Amino acid sequence: MSIRIIKTCKEYNEWINETEGTIGLVPTMGNLHRGHLSLLEASLKFNDRSVITIFVNPTQFGEDEDLSEYPRTLGDDLAQIFELNQSHNKEIAIFIPNEKEIYPNSKETTYSDKVLRGELEGSVRPTHFDGVTTVVRRLFEITHPNMAFFGKKDYQQLIIVKKMVQKLGLNVIVKGLPIVREDSGLAMSSRNNYLSEAQKEEALTLRHTLLEVETLLGRDPLDKIQEFIQKKRSEQNWNYLELRHPFTLAPIENLKSGAVILGNYQVGTTRLLDNIEWGTH
Ligand code: PAF
């Protein structure tokens, strides 16, 4: 069993032909942390072969977001993958394509979720999800996965990708995996690298507030909980704090199907995401 570093679609097709079995896809933009590794670990467990992609996708960055500033840590990423596979010894492709491989002709959007693209994260990043769906669709097309693994920290992304798979009738099982947290409870994210120790402390308000809302769910009536959320949201630094339907992300009218509490909290210039699912299991 081995790890192969692959840069082109042609090399990837050769790898597919030379190896056998089901394929699990872990799409990433690199700068790997334990959250990404948990996705790869799940892929290794459920599949004969796994492909982890490292591609900083330009189409999901807005005009005011600096693509060139996105952390690129390839050496460290590779070391983490090699170390993880020591205890698994499976077939892994690390696909590190350039832009031409992913977008040979145009970077035009090939799938857009008209309902959710402008909600929550999309309310301040209006083209972000078009870029995500377009690249994920393309990665599916190139890598032919049986399963694809996404972290639940980016909950909206997960729901949008699941919807896309269903709408386009794609033959891929999309798995959402639990958020991996630092010891403090802070959700693991590449964006945490931008935070000082003091800002990491400040960031815990996000986690603590979501936990407070979770305590109220199942105890208080929905209108009381919404009042509490509204009050919190009016405090400093919240980009949003919302209760939504856990599968559709529609605004919630009752708690019959459970709920997801979604928050985005601003620390300095960094927008931090977190969420808690409630009553869905
Ligand atoms: O979650 C991410 O890192 C990215 O949005 C993804 C899914 C790799 C697409 O570029």
Side-chain angles (χ1 to χ4, degrees):
M1 295 293 155
S2 64
I3 298 186
R4 200 176 302 176
I5 297 173
I6 289 172
K7 296 209 168 142
T8 64
C9 298
K10 183 168 168 287
E11 284 167 3
Y12 183 78
N13 287 336
E14 285 163 9
W15 178 77
I16 287 211
N17 291 332
E18 289 164 23
T19 52
E20 274 182 3
T22 60
I23 298 178
L25 166 67
V26 179
T28 82
M29 301 210 296
N31 194 221
L32 302 185
H33 51 67
R34 282 199 284 115
H36 297 111
L37 296 183
S38 77
L39 304 181
L40 182 57
E41 196 133 28
S43 176
L44 295 173
K45 184 167 159 207
F46 291 114
N47 293 281
D48 305 306
R49 300 177 282 178
S50 293
V51 50
I52 177 162
T53 62
I54 299 179
F55 177 64
V56 183
N57 173 36
T59 63
Q60 67 191 76
F61 287 78
E63 275 171 13
D64 55 340
E65 293 171 76
D66 198 348
L67 173 65
S68 65
E69 289 284 298
Y70 196 85
R72 284 148 174 98
T73 53
L74 188 58
D76 189 49
D77 294 347
L78 296 180
Q80 291 191 63
I81 299 169
F82 275 88
E83 193 184 328
L84 180 73
N85 201 37
Q86 280 183 359
S87 47
H88 291 272
N89 199 23
K90 287 274 194 100
E91 207 70 62
I92 300 180
I94 308 175
F95 185 42
I96 316 170
N98 65 20
E99 222 178 282
K100 268 271 165 248
E101 294 290 325
I102 300 293
Y103 300 117
N105 302 314
S106 104
K107 286 194 237 164
E108 255 167 50
T109 299
T110 58
Y111 179 90
S112 179
D113 188 316
K114 297 284 181 241
V115 180
L116 293 178
R117 73 189 288 281
E119 295 274 307
L120 301 162
E121 281 305 288
S123 63
V124 281
R125 307 178 76 195
T127 56
H128 173 68
F129 287 113
D130 289 350
V132 169
T133 46
T134 298
V135 78
V136 169
R137 186 178 185 181
R138 177 74 181 127
L139 290 171
F140 284 176
E141 185 179 82
I142 297 171
T143 62
H144 306 286
N146 301 88
M147 288 184 191
F149 297 83
F150 293 83
K152 285 190 175 176
K153 184 183 66 65
D154 296 300
Y155 198 90
Q156 188 177 4
Q157 166 172 282
L158 173 67
I159 297 293
I160 289 176
V161 169
K162 279 189 171 172
K163 261 179 86 180
M164 174 177 81
V165 163
Q166 203 194 13
K167 287 221 162 160
L168 298 177
L170 305 178
N171 201 9
V172 184
I173 298 167
V174 176
K175 295 258 188 205
L177 294 195
I179 297 173
V180 176
R181 298 183 180 280
E182 297 189 0
D183 289 344
S184 63
L186 185 64
M188 289 258 170
S189 164
S190 305
R191 294 182 191 174
N192 295 355
N193 294 339
Y194 303 130
L195 303 178
S196 66
E197 285 310 309
Q199 285 179 316
K200 281 191 172 183
E201 275 294 310
E202 201 190 316
L204 288 177
T205 304
L206 172 56
R207 171 77 173 147
H208 294 156
T209 308
L210 297 183
L211 286 169
E212 267 184 276
V213 177
E214 186 188 31
T215 314
L216 304 182
L217 284 162
R219 194 191 80 183
D220 289 357
L222 184 56
D223 55 344
K224 277 259 167 294
I225 302 172
Q226 295 287 29
E227 249 174 58
F228 175 85
I229 289 177
Q230 218 163 356
K231 195 158 149 264
K232 280 279 166 195
R233 201 168 41 209
S234 65
E235 289 170 12
Q236 261 190 344
N237 298 346
W238 287 98
N239 292 314
Y240 58 80
L241 174 64
E242 301 220 13
L243 260 192
R244 293 282 178 120
H245 188 287
F247 309 129
T248 63
L249 290 185
I252 210 147
E253 280 159 21
N254 59 60
L255 293 170
K256 281 191 199 134
S257 311
V260 57
I261 320 156
L262 298 147
N264 186 311
Y265 191 74
Q266 187 88 22
V267 178
T269 52
T270 308
R271 294 168 49 82
L272 294 170
L273 277 177
D274 203 350
N275 64 77
I276 295 179
E277 287 169 285
W278 178 85
T280 53
H281 306 294

mmCIF file of all heavy atoms in Angstrom, residues 1 14 17 32 80 89 100 114 117 127 143 159 162 179 185 223 240 242 247:
data_model
loop_
_atom_site.group_PDB
_atom_site.id
_atom_site.type_symbol
_atom_site.label_atom_id
_atom_site.label_comp_id
_atom_site.label_asym_id
_atom_site.label_seq_id
_atom_site.Cartn_x
_atom_site.Cartn_y
_atom_site.Cartn_z
ATOM 1 N N MET A 1 0.849 -1.198 0.000
ATOM 2 C CA MET A 1 0.000 0.000 0.000
ATOM 3 C C MET A 1 0.886 1.249 0.000
ATOM 4 O O MET A 1 1.940 1.245 0.608
ATOM 5 C CB MET A 1 -0.892 0.018 1.246
ATOM 6 C CG MET A 1 -1.878 -1.110 1.273
ATOM 7 S SD MET A 1 -3.086 -0.947 -0.015
ATOM 8 C CE MET A 1 -3.566 -2.651 -0.217
ATOM 9 N N GLU A 14 -4.416 7.305 -14.175
ATOM 10 C CA GLU A 14 -3.482 6.164 -14.143
ATOM 11 C C GLU A 14 -3.557 5.483 -12.774
ATOM 12 O O GLU A 14 -3.600 4.256 -12.683
ATOM 13 C CB GLU A 14 -2.045 6.648 -14.424
ATOM 14 C CG GLU A 14 -1.827 6.975 -15.899
ATOM 15 C CD GLU A 14 -0.572 7.834 -16.154
ATOM 16 O OE1 GLU A 14 0.245 8.040 -15.208
ATOM 17 O OE2 GLU A 14 -0.444 8.307 -17.291
ATOM 18 N N ASN A 17 -6.562 3.341 -12.495
ATOM 19 C CA ASN A 17 -6.460 2.088 -13.255
ATOM 20 C C ASN A 17 -5.501 1.093 -12.616
ATOM 21 O O ASN A 17 -5.652 -0.112 -12.780
ATOM 22 C CB ASN A 17 -6.020 2.376 -14.697
ATOM 23 C CG ASN A 17 -7.131 3.089 -15.440
ATOM 24 O OD1 ASN A 17 -8.314 2.917 -15.116
ATOM 25 N ND2 ASN A 17 -6.774 3.904 -16.424
ATOM 26 N N LEU A 32 -3.647 21.733 6.656
ATOM 27 C CA LEU A 32 -4.390 20.672 7.340
ATOM 28 C C LEU A 32 -4.254 20.746 8.863
ATOM 29 O O LEU A 32 -3.193 21.080 9.388
ATOM 30 C CB LEU A 32 -3.891 19.304 6.873
ATOM 31 C CG LEU A 32 -3.971 19.026 5.363
ATOM 32 C CD1 LEU A 32 -3.560 17.585 5.073
ATOM 33 C CD2 LEU A 32 -5.363 19.307 4.803
ATOM 34 N N GLN A 80 1.823 15.302 7.617
ATOM 35 C CA GLN A 80 0.699 14.828 8.446
ATOM 36 C C GLN A 80 -0.009 13.633 7.794
ATOM 37 O O GLN A 80 -0.421 12.695 8.467
ATOM 38 C CB GLN A 80 -0.312 15.952 8.656
ATOM 39 C CG GLN A 80 0.196 17.079 9.528
ATOM 40 C CD GLN A 80 -0.936 18.021 9.900
ATOM 41 O OE1 GLN A 80 -1.888 17.646 10.565
ATOM 42 N NE2 GLN A 80 -0.836 19.270 9.458
ATOM 43 N N ASN A 89 -1.870 2.154 6.589
ATOM 44 C CA ASN A 89 -1.262 1.458 5.466
ATOM 45 C C ASN A 89 -2.245 1.190 4.327
ATOM 46 O O ASN A 89 -2.414 0.061 3.893
ATOM 47 C CB ASN A 89 -0.630 0.156 5.985
ATOM 48 C CG ASN A 89 0.401 -0.372 5.007
ATOM 49 O OD1 ASN A 89 0.940 0.392 4.215
ATOM 50 N ND2 ASN A 89 0.642 -1.659 5.032
ATOM 51 N N LYS A 100 -5.308 25.138 -13.969
ATOM 52 C CA LYS A 100 -5.642 24.676 -15.335
ATOM 53 C C LYS A 100 -6.275 23.290 -15.324
ATOM 54 O O LYS A 100 -7.112 22.958 -16.173
ATOM 55 C CB LYS A 100 -4.380 24.652 -16.215
ATOM 56 C CG LYS A 100 -4.166 25.944 -16.965
ATOM 57 C CD LYS A 100 -4.886 25.909 -18.337
ATOM 58 C CE LYS A 100 -5.029 27.255 -18.988
ATOM 59 N NZ LYS A 100 -6.365 27.791 -19.092
ATOM 60 N N LYS A 114 -29.705 28.416 -5.430
ATOM 61 C CA LYS A 114 -30.353 29.735 -5.448
ATOM 62 C C LYS A 114 -30.961 30.100 -4.094
ATOM 63 O O LYS A 114 -31.077 31.276 -3.756
ATOM 64 C CB LYS A 114 -31.449 29.781 -6.523
ATOM 65 C CG LYS A 114 -30.918 29.595 -7.935
ATOM 66 C CD LYS A 114 -30.237 30.862 -8.445
ATOM 67 C CE LYS A 114 -29.730 30.700 -9.861
ATOM 68 N NZ LYS A 114 -28.291 30.865 -10.029
ATOM 69 N N ARG A 117 -27.529 30.193 -1.307
ATOM 70 C CA ARG A 117 -26.273 30.899 -1.644
ATOM 71 C C ARG A 117 -26.158 32.270 -0.968
ATOM 72 O O ARG A 117 -25.061 32.736 -0.678
ATOM 73 C CB ARG A 117 -26.097 31.034 -3.164
ATOM 74 C CG ARG A 117 -27.011 32.029 -3.807
ATOM 75 C CD ARG A 117 -26.958 31.976 -5.317
ATOM 76 N NE ARG A 117 -25.723 32.518 -5.897
ATOM 77 C CZ ARG A 117 -25.463 33.804 -6.060
ATOM 78 N NH1 ARG A 117 -26.334 34.713 -5.666
ATOM 79 N NH2 ARG A 117 -24.341 34.183 -6.630
ATOM 80 N N THR A 127 -20.700 35.275 -3.416
ATOM 81 C CA THR A 127 -20.332 34.343 -4.499
ATOM 82 C C THR A 127 -19.651 33.078 -3.956
ATOM 83 O O THR A 127 -19.308 32.178 -4.714
ATOM 84 C CB THR A 127 -19.348 35.037 -5.478
ATOM 85 O OG1 THR A 127 -18.213 35.513 -4.709
ATOM 86 C CG2 THR A 127 -20.004 36.209 -6.188
ATOM 87 N N THR A 143 -12.416 12.842 -9.726
ATOM 88 C CA THR A 143 -11.899 11.782 -8.835
ATOM 89 C C THR A 143 -12.804 10.543 -8.736
ATOM 90 O O THR A 143 -12.407 9.538 -8.177
ATOM 91 C CB THR A 143 -11.641 12.327 -7.403
ATOM 92 O OG1 THR A 143 -12.882 12.773 -6.835
ATOM 93 C CG2 THR A 143 -10.640 13.471 -7.403
ATOM 94 N N ILE A 159 -24.655 21.087 3.778
ATOM 95 C CA ILE A 159 -26.054 20.979 3.342
ATOM 96 C C ILE A 159 -26.167 21.312 1.848
ATOM 97 O O ILE A 159 -26.870 20.627 1.094
ATOM 98 C CB ILE A 159 -26.957 21.944 4.168
ATOM 99 C CG1 ILE A 159 -26.950 21.552 5.647
ATOM 100 C CG2 ILE A 159 -28.371 22.012 3.618
ATOM 101 C CD1 ILE A 159 -27.601 20.238 5.984
ATOM 102 N N LYS A 162 -24.806 18.422 -0.181
ATOM 103 C CA LYS A 162 -25.758 17.295 -0.165
ATOM 104 C C LYS A 162 -26.915 17.556 -1.119
ATOM 105 O O LYS A 162 -27.366 16.665 -1.836
ATOM 106 C CB LYS A 162 -26.313 17.087 1.252
ATOM 107 C CG LYS A 162 -25.375 16.303 2.147
ATOM 108 C CD LYS A 162 -26.068 15.950 3.448
ATOM 109 C CE LYS A 162 -25.216 14.986 4.252
ATOM 110 N NZ LYS A 162 -25.717 14.740 5.588
ATOM 111 N N ILE A 179 -17.514 18.079 14.305
ATOM 112 C CA ILE A 179 -16.504 19.126 14.463
ATOM 113 C C ILE A 179 -15.416 18.631 15.421
ATOM 114 O O ILE A 179 -15.720 18.061 16.467
ATOM 115 C CB ILE A 179 -17.158 20.394 15.062
ATOM 116 C CG1 ILE A 179 -18.213 20.941 14.101
ATOM 117 C CG2 ILE A 179 -16.113 21.448 15.401
ATOM 118 C CD1 ILE A 179 -19.030 22.100 14.669
ATOM 119 N N GLY A 185 -12.346 23.901 23.482
ATOM 120 C CA GLY A 185 -13.700 23.828 22.920
ATOM 121 C C GLY A 185 -13.808 24.584 21.603
ATOM 122 O O GLY A 185 -14.772 24.422 20.846
ATOM 123 N N ASP A 223 -40.410 30.624 21.208
ATOM 124 C CA ASP A 223 -40.381 32.097 21.140
ATOM 125 C C ASP A 223 -39.457 32.694 22.200
ATOM 126 O O ASP A 223 -38.766 33.677 21.962
ATOM 127 C CB ASP A 223 -41.794 32.700 21.203
ATOM 128 C CG ASP A 223 -42.559 32.236 22.432
ATOM 129 O OD1 ASP A 223 -42.129 31.235 23.051
ATOM 130 O OD2 ASP A 223 -43.576 32.861 22.773
ATOM 131 N N TYR A 240 -23.771 36.573 12.754
ATOM 132 C CA TYR A 240 -25.120 36.009 12.881
ATOM 133 C C TYR A 240 -25.141 34.973 13.989
ATOM 134 O O TYR A 240 -24.102 34.422 14.370
ATOM 135 C CB TYR A 240 -25.672 35.432 11.559
ATOM 136 C CG TYR A 240 -24.839 34.338 10.928
ATOM 137 C CD1 TYR A 240 -24.892 33.023 11.370
ATOM 138 C CD2 TYR A 240 -24.001 34.615 9.850
ATOM 139 C CE1 TYR A 240 -24.143 32.024 10.776
ATOM 140 C CE2 TYR A 240 -23.237 33.620 9.248
ATOM 141 C CZ TYR A 240 -23.315 32.332 9.725
ATOM 142 O OH TYR A 240 -22.560 31.342 9.151
ATOM 143 N N GLU A 242 -28.198 32.023 14.736
ATOM 144 C CA GLU A 242 -29.537 31.654 14.259
ATOM 145 C C GLU A 242 -29.859 30.206 14.572
ATOM 146 O O GLU A 242 -28.985 29.344 14.601
ATOM 147 C CB GLU A 242 -29.607 31.819 12.733
ATOM 148 C CG GLU A 242 -29.318 33.216 12.284
ATOM 149 C CD GLU A 242 -30.229 33.655 11.150
ATOM 150 O OE1 GLU A 242 -31.242 32.977 10.885
ATOM 151 O OE2 GLU A 242 -29.907 34.689 10.554
ATOM 152 N N PHE A 247 -31.881 20.146 8.310
ATOM 153 C CA PHE A 247 -31.610 19.526 6.998
ATOM 154 C C PHE A 247 -31.771 20.502 5.836
ATOM 155 O O PHE A 247 -31.148 20.334 4.799
ATOM 156 C CB PHE A 247 -32.522 18.297 6.781
ATOM 157 C CG PHE A 247 -32.484 17.337 7.941
ATOM 158 C CD1 PHE A 247 -33.654 16.891 8.544
ATOM 159 C CD2 PHE A 247 -31.267 16.889 8.444
ATOM 160 C CE1 PHE A 247 -33.610 16.028 9.631
ATOM 161 C CE2 PHE A 247 -31.213 16.035 9.531
ATOM 162 C CZ PHE A 247 -32.391 15.602 10.133
#
